[in-house]
Amino acid sequence: MTGGGLLVAGTTSDAGKSVVTAGICRWLVRQGVKVAPFKAQNMSLNSFVTREGAEIGRAQAMQAQACRVEPTALMNPVLLKPGGEQSSQVVLLGKPVGELSARGYHGGRQQQLLGTVLECLAELRGTYDAVICEGAGSPAEINLRRTDIVNMGIARNAELPVLVVGDIDRGGVFASFYGTVALLSRQDQELIAGFLVNKFRGDVSLLEPGLDMLHDLTGRRTYGVLPFRHGLGIDEEDGLRISLRGAVRESEVSSPFGEDVLRVAVCAVPLMSNFTDVDALAAEPGVVVRFVDRPEELADADLVVVPGTRGTVRALEWLRERGLARALVRRADEGRPILGICGGFQLLGEHIEDDVESRRGQVEGLGVLPVRVRFAREKTLARPVGEALGEPVEGYEIHHGVAEVTGGEPFLDGCRVGRTWGTHWHGSLESDGFRRAFLREVAAAAGRRFVPAPDTSFAALREEQLDRLGDLIEQHADTDALWRLIESGAPQGLPFIPPGAPA
């Protein structure tokens, strides 16, 4: 028996598809429904490693957490990791299979993956009561419709009803809803069940006349109006926001537990990946996290984080061009705290031999850590477990660079020299005891009277956040109508809205 399904599409990128998908998943699992998330194709530099060693988008990993299930490669069969303006690494079923230009991907390779994508979705629907799928961008990107495998392409093939989410905070949501439907072919329009308004501020009664008119114009209902709430983003696919910072900064618990705050500066390197690593820092009361791109912005930082990047050599050049490289070396010499993660760890070393990512051969690093890095064609994907600063730590690794550590003190399979730490482990700061021990060392080195709160649980904060998303759906959407969509598909007899697009 095939489980129910729903595709959550959006009028634009960042309309709230990921959040709404996670919210529907959490609402369903609280009703006793066995549910899984799915995104056929994801473009993101923020990824995660599943327990079977597969790389998928972090948003799908968080949606799996909303479902209270382990994430698997089936939930995100195609992941595109941009490596520049014109090309991306293609990750298929959790493993990299090569680099492709946008033209090469949309010119044929994408359509070849449709069979794999549909097989993954069918397997999930055969296992779960419901699968909540997330689209990408807009379903009305008519230049890409022919090869689409993530929006209407998969909806048509899998006969999924489609809910279109619009961000009313941007303005123009009614035109976006109407235009999205009107630019689709008759066959695609038959699957557009209706709309969901996201990020509404104010009195809903003032919006209702517009929703009635939208129904009259399109023959489609609005399934809910979600109010604007701060700090509800799950792990971002793109952009520079960190998902828990808003919640911590604007909540009542944002004051420091000790007498001082702790300032963290994150170098906003090009092709920055897994910047979600600093979410756990931002979740600590009294820790202020900001992204920086100028050397003077490091001056008052108690900790500088050099994050992961999909272009280590390019990031190194950028640091030098900006003057940040000199500032980092000077900071290390002065014994002021620096943490390098993955690509950030690699560029802090002595040299990088890269014939894979940048193909630049041997490049001198910043020389802060006794590490030599050689890029291997095979990508390391792992879920390591260990201990540091007397505390247990878990993390995950996603990198081509192989590090040869020639000195310093061991630190999470990397090393430490003075107050500079380097590791390939993403996610280590989510281990609460280790994070608190690390921040105590940083505070002592910075001369700050900062004390980590003794009871901050990053996992509990994530659960609270996912429950808040579930609450939004339960309280502000027509959940009975949503369940009918998931179980029975799009309503019959939905009207065609001209002009439409060719079939």
Side-chain angles (χ1 to χ4, degrees):
M1 181 178 175
T2 299
L6 175 70
L7 176 71
V8 179
T11 56
T12 62
S13 295
D14 203 31
K17 296 183 293 291
S18 297
V19 165
V20 168
T21 300
I24 293 174
C25 287
R26 178 48 61 100
W27 159 65
L28 285 172
V29 80
R30 294 195 308 205
Q31 307 309 307
V33 177
K34 187 180 178 185
V35 59
F38 180 79
K39 185 162 186 174
Q41 171 198 296
N42 198 348
M43 178 173 280
S44 178
L45 286 170
N46 286 334
S47 57
F48 181 77
V49 179
T50 67
R51 295 211 178 273
E52 73 266 30
E55 184 180 8
I56 66 172
R58 276 199 66 95
Q60 280 60 66
M62 283 292 286
Q63 288 163 355
Q65 186 173 345
C67 297
R68 297 179 179 145
V69 297
E70 272 293 322
T72 73
L74 294 174
M75 297 171 184
N76 179 207
V78 181
L79 174 63
L80 305 178
K81 303 192 74 175
E85 295 297 324
Q86 299 295 330
S87 68
S88 293
Q89 183 180 68
V90 181
V91 179
L92 179 62
L93 293 175
K95 304 296 181 184
V97 294
E99 297 273 341
L100 274 181
S101 67
R103 180 180 293 274
Y105 185 69
H106 291 289
R109 178 60 169 157
Q110 184 179 32
Q111 189 66 19
Q112 295 169 10
L113 297 174
L114 179 61
T116 300
V117 162
L118 291 172
E119 287 170 7
C120 292
L121 177 57
E123 186 170 341
L124 288 174
R125 294 182 77 180
T127 306
Y128 292 88
D129 301 328
V131 178
I132 308 303
C133 308
E134 179 188 343
S138 162
E141 291 168 349
I142 54 178
N143 57 315
L144 302 177
R145 176 62 185 90
R146 183 177 61 83
T147 57
D148 170 49
I149 65 170
V150 66
N151 291 306
M152 300 314 298
I154 193 168
R156 282 269 292 279
N157 278 279
E159 298 182 342
L160 293 171
V162 179
L163 183 70
V164 180
V165 177
D167 179 356
I168 197 170
D169 199 48
R170 294 181 172 189
V173 75
F174 292 115
S176 298
F177 281 146
Y178 185 90
T180 295
V181 179
L183 281 174
L184 298 177
S185 69
R186 185 180 298 273
Q187 294 90 335
D188 286 351
Q189 286 192 26
E190 289 172 355
L191 294 172
I192 302 294
F195 314 107
L196 187 77
V197 177
N198 191 28
K199 298 182 184 178
F200 180 71
R201 304 174 190 252
D203 185 346
V204 176
S205 66
L206 299 176
L207 189 65
E208 287 171 352
L211 301 179
D212 293 339
M213 292 172 66
L214 182 66
H215 181 269
D216 293 341
L217 288 165
T218 68
R220 290 158 174 84
R221 59 167 298 176
T222 298
Y223 284 77
V225 178
L226 306 186
F228 187 97
R229 293 286 188 268
H230 289 290
L232 284 184
I234 64 172
D235 286 14
E236 302 290 343
E237 293 183 1
D238 300 293
L240 278 181
R241 289 172 305 179
I242 51 177
S243 61
L244 288 175
R245 179 171 61 180
V248 171
R249 275 185 162 180
E250 295 164 21
S251 70
E252 295 178 358
V253 297
S254 60
S255 299
F257 185 77
E259 296 180 46
D260 280 351
V261 298
L262 208 63
R263 296 171 177 83
V264 179
V266 184
C267 295
V269 296
L271 297 174
M272 181 166 45
S273 61
N274 287 69
F275 53 82
T276 47
D277 281 333
V278 297
D279 280 0
L281 295 178
E284 283 284 350
V287 175
V288 180
V289 177
R290 67 183 190 272
F291 290 90
V292 304
D293 60 4
R294 295 179 298 181
E296 56 269 26
E297 293 177 295
L298 304 188
D300 67 342
D302 302 308
L303 169 67
V304 173
V305 177
V306 189
T309 171
R310 174 86 163 88
T312 303
V313 170
R314 180 177 169 186
L316 187 55
E317 292 172 343
W318 181 86
L319 289 170
R320 287 183 167 128
E321 290 165 2
R322 292 271 177 162
L324 284 160
R326 288 191 301 274
L328 285 169
V329 172
R330 183 168 59 250
R331 183 181 182 89
D333 290 343
E334 293 170 353
R336 302 180 65 199
I338 300 171
L339 173 63
I341 303 174
C342 200
F345 163 46
Q346 294 168 6
L347 60 80
L348 290 174
E350 296 169 355
H351 69 250
I352 299 165
E353 188 178 329
D354 182 10
D355 294 319
V356 175
E357 199 172 71
S358 69
R359 297 181 176 85
R360 293 283 300 277
Q362 186 162 308
V363 177
E364 293 302 308
L366 298 187
V368 171
L369 291 175
V371 176
R372 298 167 186 168
V373 176
R374 176 185 55 81
F375 273 66
R377 297 201 176 277
E378 189 75 17
K379 181 185 280 191
T380 297
L381 297 169
R383 290 279 294 269
V385 176
E387 183 179 300
L389 306 181
E391 298 286 346
V393 190
E394 295 183 18
Y396 58 99
E397 295 184 60
I398 307 169
H399 54 90
H400 283 279
V402 178
E404 179 191 357
V405 178
T406 60
E409 302 173 43
F411 176 74
L412 299 180
D413 292 338
C415 67
R416 167 188 182 173
V417 173
R419 298 295 183 183
T420 300
W421 296 264
T423 178
H424 273 134
W425 292 23
H426 294 290
S428 62
L429 294 166
E430 296 177 19
S431 298
D432 296 327
F434 165 72
R435 182 181 64 254
R436 286 192 277 270
F438 178 71
L439 289 176
R440 282 193 290 270
E441 285 220 13
V442 169
R448 297 282 185 191
R449 290 175 295 181
F450 169 85
V451 179
D455 56 355
T456 301
S457 166
F458 187 71
L461 284 172
R462 274 187 164 167
E463 277 297 301
E464 289 171 15
Q465 189 182 38
L466 292 168
D467 276 332
R468 291 171 68 198
L469 294 178
D471 292 343
L472 273 186
I473 298 298
E474 190 168 329
Q475 296 166 12
H476 300 283
D478 186 338
T479 52
D480 289 340
L482 273 180
W483 178 245
R484 285 195 296 273
L485 270 187
I486 293 166
E487 194 174 36
S488 304
Q492 297 297 306
L494 293 169
F496 172 69
I497 308 301

